[in-house]
Amino acid sequence: MSDDPTFKPGLEGVVAAETELSSVDGQKGELIIAGFPLEELAANARFEEVCYLLWHGELPDQPTLKTFRTTMASYRELPAATFSLLAEAAKHGASPMDALRMATGTFDLDVAGESDMVKAKAITARVPPAIATYWRLLNDREVIPPRHDLSRSSNYLYMLTGEVPGPETVRGLETYLNTVSDHGLNASTFAARVIIATESDMVSAVTGAIGALKGPLHGGAPGPALDMVFEIGSADRAETFIREKLDRGERLMGFGHRVYKVRDPRADVLARAAERMYRAEGDMALYELAKHVEATAIRLLDECKPGRNLRTNVEFYTALLLHGIGLDTPIFTPTFAMGRVAGWIGHCFEQQRNGRLIRPESAYIGQKGRQWVPIEQR
Ligand code: COA
């Protein structure tokens, strides 16, 4: 047993890693990614720049970025086995997150003997084509092969729709992906670090992380958050709807956070990006309704859960932004994975450099001294 055997449910407040990748200050509502304030990085960087930053610790210069993007784009084709697996998953109607989890396990088939950096690029490059391919298969639509001349985000939307998206839409998606690229020792990142810390491999770590991200308490919330806005439908129904939900003891998706006790700074960045998109080419009425639902939810959460400081989290505006970009709700969480994969891999590299096997202890609360009873006497 350790010197401090106190059990911390959910490991709350326990520091289990040192990282240079991101700093989350839950009291100030501040997120720093590799030294940059989120607000600055998210709205300006291309996603590939953020990958490079998280994996190498520095921003790339122009030639470096060009080579990095080209190399990554060269892995966009899915291995044949990945495609067959996705086709089989579609026949069974698997959820997009389950399909992505299965597909990810095959992403390194053709690069098995290569370095971890090659695997990192292949995995990161293949997440969007796998989601887009699966979504089209599931909806009985012809699969669109990737294009190598487009950015990773642009190619994703192209593979989903067959149309090359406009710059405003791509900027919206890139801002989202950058915003969710890393976030301290969240559950999926912790899962990735636990796996890689055993000297297992990148694909296993990312596959495990996807499993952790799937749950509604982590990455599965944006779909339900948007459903709530649609169900409410008009501003005058918001108060009754939300009050009834809270009276039934239900949680409001898109609100509350384990670490942030003030407004999640990612919500602000995404709210601004969503407003920009909706003003440029979207349904402003939906945006206004969401703002009203948010304000009502916060007021009622303060009333029903006093002292809990439950505020808007990243998922609420994720939902609005991704809907505005034209994505269907079932692929919101896979799209989250498309951004967070940069952080998972950055943490794997960091864990490989500095880490130690992660092996906490448990406090045994079961019985002792029981006596074995042979099966025929039970
Ligand atoms: N709606 C209503 N009540 C909520 C709530 C929400 N979204 N989030 C927390 N609460 C309440 C809990 O019911 C609990 O109340 P109680 O003390 O009266 O029982 C209290 O606030 C503390 O909740 P707890 O589960 O201990 O907080 P946590 O730190 O473990 O939870 C989340 C963090 C994110 C899991 C939680 O806020 C949640 O479930 N949010 C909704 C899902 C979501 O948006 N997830 C995405 C996260 S980025």
Side-chain angles (χ1 to χ4, degrees):
M1 267 291 195
S2 67
D3 295 344
D4 178 12
T6 319
F7 167 48
K8 301 267 169 54
L11 299 184
E12 194 162 358
V14 173
V15 176
E18 284 186 324
T19 183
E20 293 181 2
L21 300 182
S22 60
S23 158
V24 182
D25 186 328
Q27 299 302 325
K28 280 203 251 164
E30 182 185 79
L31 172 59
I32 294 169
I33 296 187
F36 295 92
L38 170 73
E39 296 73 12
E40 210 171 307
L41 192 74
N44 292 306
R46 297 170 188 194
F47 181 72
E48 287 93 332
E49 279 179 290
V50 173
C51 286
Y52 190 94
L53 175 68
L54 290 172
W55 302 354
H56 297 274
E58 297 297 335
L59 285 173
D61 59 17
Q62 279 198 44
T64 311
L65 179 62
K66 193 165 176 239
T67 314
F68 187 74
R69 292 182 82 182
T70 314
T71 322
M72 193 126 99
S74 71
Y75 292 110
R76 278 183 196 157
E77 303 289 345
L78 298 174
T82 311
F83 189 88
S84 313
L85 184 62
L86 289 174
E88 194 60 28
K91 278 194 214 152
H92 290 271
S95 80
M97 261 320 252
D98 287 335
L100 178 62
R101 190 238 315 135
M102 292 178 222
T104 304
T106 65
F107 283 170
D108 66 348
L109 274 176
D110 54 344
V111 292
E114 303 284 350
S115 67
D116 276 341
M117 187 53 81
V118 169
K119 288 183 191 161
K121 287 177 185 159
I123 295 167
T124 307
R126 286 169 175 171
V127 169
I131 305 167
T133 299
Y134 185 67
W135 192 234
R136 290 192 71 92
L137 285 168
L138 193 64
N139 290 286
D140 291 324
R141 304 211 314 260
E142 205 178 316
V143 170
I144 298 171
R147 270 179 53 174
H148 297 264
D149 57 322
L150 301 174
S151 72
R152 180 174 176 271
S153 302
S154 188
N155 177 62
Y156 175 53
L157 298 176
Y158 167 72
M159 287 185 71
L160 277 169
T161 63
E163 281 169 32
V164 177
E168 200 64 45
T169 306
V170 176
R171 185 61 259 168
L173 180 57
E174 296 259 285
T175 300
Y176 167 70
L177 298 174
N178 296 344
T179 299
V180 299
S181 61
D182 198 50
H183 199 239
L185 206 57
N186 59 87
S188 57
T189 300
F190 185 49
R193 283 189 87 126
V194 168
I195 293 170
I196 207 80
T198 68
E199 297 189 1
S200 179
D201 63 291
M202 282 286 170
V203 156
S204 299
V206 173
T207 307
I210 288 173
L213 185 71
K214 178 184 160 186
L217 298 192
H218 187 4
L226 187 66
D227 290 344
M228 181 173 80
V229 175
F230 281 132
E231 258 182 84
I232 290 173
S234 65
D236 57 320
R237 281 174 33 85
E239 169 126 14
T240 317
F241 185 97
I242 294 172
R243 200 179 277 286
E244 283 175 5
K245 223 171 165 44
L246 291 174
D247 286 348
R248 287 194 299 270
E250 289 176 30
R251 288 182 180 219
L252 304 181
M253 293 295 134
F255 296 87
H257 198 273
R258 171 62 63 82
V259 179
Y260 292 120
K261 297 306 168 203
V262 292
R263 190 174 155 92
D264 183 335
R266 300 169 299 172
D268 279 334
V269 171
L270 297 182
R272 274 198 295 277
E275 183 173 3
R276 204 173 124 175
M277 265 207 45
Y278 277 84
R279 275 197 198 289
E281 48 201 50
D283 172 2
M284 242 354 237
L286 178 64
Y287 180 80
E288 297 296 351
L289 173 63
K291 296 286 288 182
H292 181 79
V293 168
E294 180 194 19
T296 311
I298 289 175
R299 181 165 50 80
L300 295 183
L301 282 167
D302 276 345
E303 192 186 309
C304 300
K305 301 277 172 187
R308 293 288 186 194
N309 288 326
L310 300 168
R311 291 291 172 266
T312 319
N313 66 40
V314 67
E315 307 291 15
F316 189 79
Y317 280 100
T318 289
L320 204 61
L321 181 61
L322 295 186
H323 176 76
I325 286 169
L327 299 186
D328 295 307
T329 316
I331 56 170
F332 284 0
T333 307
T335 306
F336 186 167
M338 179 178 156
R340 184 56 59 83
V341 68
W344 292 332
I345 289 175
H347 278 270
C348 285
F349 283 133
E350 197 173 53
Q351 182 70 34
Q352 285 175 325
R353 279 195 304 276
N354 313 325
R356 199 160 180 258
L357 176 71
I358 299 171
R359 188 5 181 137
E361 291 175 25
S362 50
Y364 179 66
I365 55 162
Q367 301 178 41
K368 286 185 177 165
R370 298 175 87 180
Q371 287 212 316
W372 176 253
V373 181
I375 194 152
E376 51 288 351
Q377 290 170 29
R378 276 179 244 154

